[in-house]
Amino acid sequence: MSASYLEASARNRILGLLDPDSFVEFLGPTARVTSPHLPGLDMPVAFDDGVAVGEGTINGHKVLIAAQEGRFMGGAVGEVHGAKLTGLLERALDTRPTAVLLLLDTGGVRLQEANAGLIAVGEIQRAVLAARHAGVPVIALIGGRNGCYGGTSIVARSCDWIIGSEEGRLSISGPEVIETVEGAEEFDSQDRALVWRTMGLKHRRLLGEIDRVVADDVAAFRNATQDYFGRSRPLTLDMLEAQHEFLANRLARFQDCRDAREVWSRLGVNEPARVPDLEPDQFESLAGAIAVRRP
């Protein structure tokens, strides 16, 4: 029986991904490690500060796993929330799991804890890179209602691999932020088709920014994740220079395009207007043939 990844809570996403009865949560419900900042602002707290972290297995392979709860403050990162993610990634250096899975569902940094949240995002990114340097693959999963925005989008792009569903989005700035700064003529945040064309994961896949688009199904995420176990992208100067060259070439190729459909056409899509309607399997067949390939 299929289960929607989009509709599931953070813990249900974890339980659906992992083998039955294998999840061991760190700082679980009884620990009640909450934000020290929100009470002073007369704001409610969550017992887990909006993120569940722990370890378990997938087909017997040990993994560390974290899932942001998008229904608490939009999954935004604060001091405690960020510390839990950083601590989980640092644990990978000692336990050497098959992979670290980050289930990202967030608008970015928690505005009520702006400075602490910004510092936390930097610490998370450093911990991601440290785990990768140690040879532990870090895999981001994106398919929640909030997408993956702000500093956390930088964390996602620092991971080895990104898997997402069509329902997911990935961008530094959200639609409303762009509209506020540049105006609705530049980007209409109410135009849902425009938002998904620009920030949706089908577009990001074709641009070479993510590695797989799957159906909105927890089992589909579980199956796709296993394809990247034991595979860590190298962190070397040569790789960094290759990434810079990749981005420069992509900018030169598409910088005059005003809409994602122009990009898709330039990539060789015969009917670019049909891309949003393609089922995941159909889309992956297309992407496998024409998507820009990152180093």
Side-chain angles (χ1 to χ4, degrees), residues 1-251:
M1 182 177 179
S2 64
S4 167
Y5 186 96
L6 180 73
E7 298 292 341
S9 67
R11 282 174 179 75
N12 282 339
R13 289 171 184 168
I14 289 175
L15 295 177
L17 286 167
L18 298 182
D19 297 334
D21 301 320
S22 71
F23 180 50
V24 177
E25 185 170 358
F26 309 143
L27 297 176
T30 59
R32 301 197 65 81
V33 180
T34 63
S35 167
H37 306 286
L38 297 180
L41 299 171
D42 293 325
M43 299 190 69
V45 300
F47 66 87
D48 57 5
D49 206 41
V51 63
V53 300
E55 62 185 5
T57 61
I58 295 181
N59 278 345
H61 296 282
K62 182 179 177 181
V63 298
L64 295 176
I65 190 167
Q68 294 178 303
E69 180 50 75
R71 286 176 277 196
F72 177 68
M73 302 193 75
V77 177
E79 182 178 10
V80 170
H81 185 119
K84 290 175 70 173
L85 289 169
T86 299
L88 183 80
L89 287 155
E90 290 177 344
R91 183 179 176 86
L93 302 180
D94 296 324
T95 63
R96 301 301 174 102
T98 300
V100 180
L101 310 183
L102 301 180
L103 284 56
L104 304 176
D105 186 2
T106 176
V109 169
R110 192 176 297 171
L111 296 181
Q112 296 82 359
E113 302 184 40
N115 291 337
L118 288 169
I119 292 170
V121 167
E123 291 174 340
I124 296 166
Q125 184 180 19
R126 180 171 58 185
V128 166
L129 297 176
R132 289 185 55 189
H133 183 68
V136 179
V138 184
I139 307 170
L141 281 65
I142 304 173
R145 292 188 180 279
N146 297 291
C148 183
Y149 287 103
T152 316
S153 70
I154 301 175
V155 170
R157 288 291 281 117
S158 298
C159 296
D160 289 284
W161 312 101
I162 303 177
I163 302 167
S165 66
E166 182 178 3
E167 289 75 11
R169 286 147 291 141
L170 175 66
S171 181
I172 286 284
S173 296
E176 293 82 4
V177 173
I178 298 174
E179 180 180 288
T180 299
V181 174
E182 300 293 340
E185 297 80 7
E186 179 67 23
F187 197 88
D188 182 359
S189 65
Q190 300 305 308
D191 187 340
R192 290 175 59 85
L194 173 65
V195 171
W196 257 264
R197 281 201 310 274
T198 308
M199 302 173 178
L201 297 192
K202 281 183 173 177
H203 182 51
R204 297 304 187 188
R205 171 79 169 97
L206 292 174
L207 283 176
E209 294 183 4
I210 78 165
D211 303 285
R212 183 83 62 87
V213 171
V214 299
D216 175 35
D217 181 80
V218 175
F221 275 91
R222 173 185 163 97
N223 292 336
T225 297
Q226 296 173 73
D227 290 341
Y228 301 100
F229 284 178
R231 298 169 59 189
S232 184
R233 280 191 162 106
L235 281 174
T236 63
L237 179 59
D238 287 344
M239 177 58 73
L240 180 62
E241 290 176 341
Q243 287 278 359
H244 285 177
E245 183 179 2
F246 161 74
L247 293 172
N249 290 339
R250 194 179 69 180
L251 177 61

Side-chain angles (χ1 to χ4, degrees), residues 255-273:
Q255 62 182 338
D256 61 326
C257 294
R258 298 294 298 168
D259 188 275
R261 288 170 297 198
E262 295 179 43
V263 174
W264 303 341
S265 178
R266 194 165 294 182
L267 281 167
V269 179
N270 292 326
E271 298 180 81

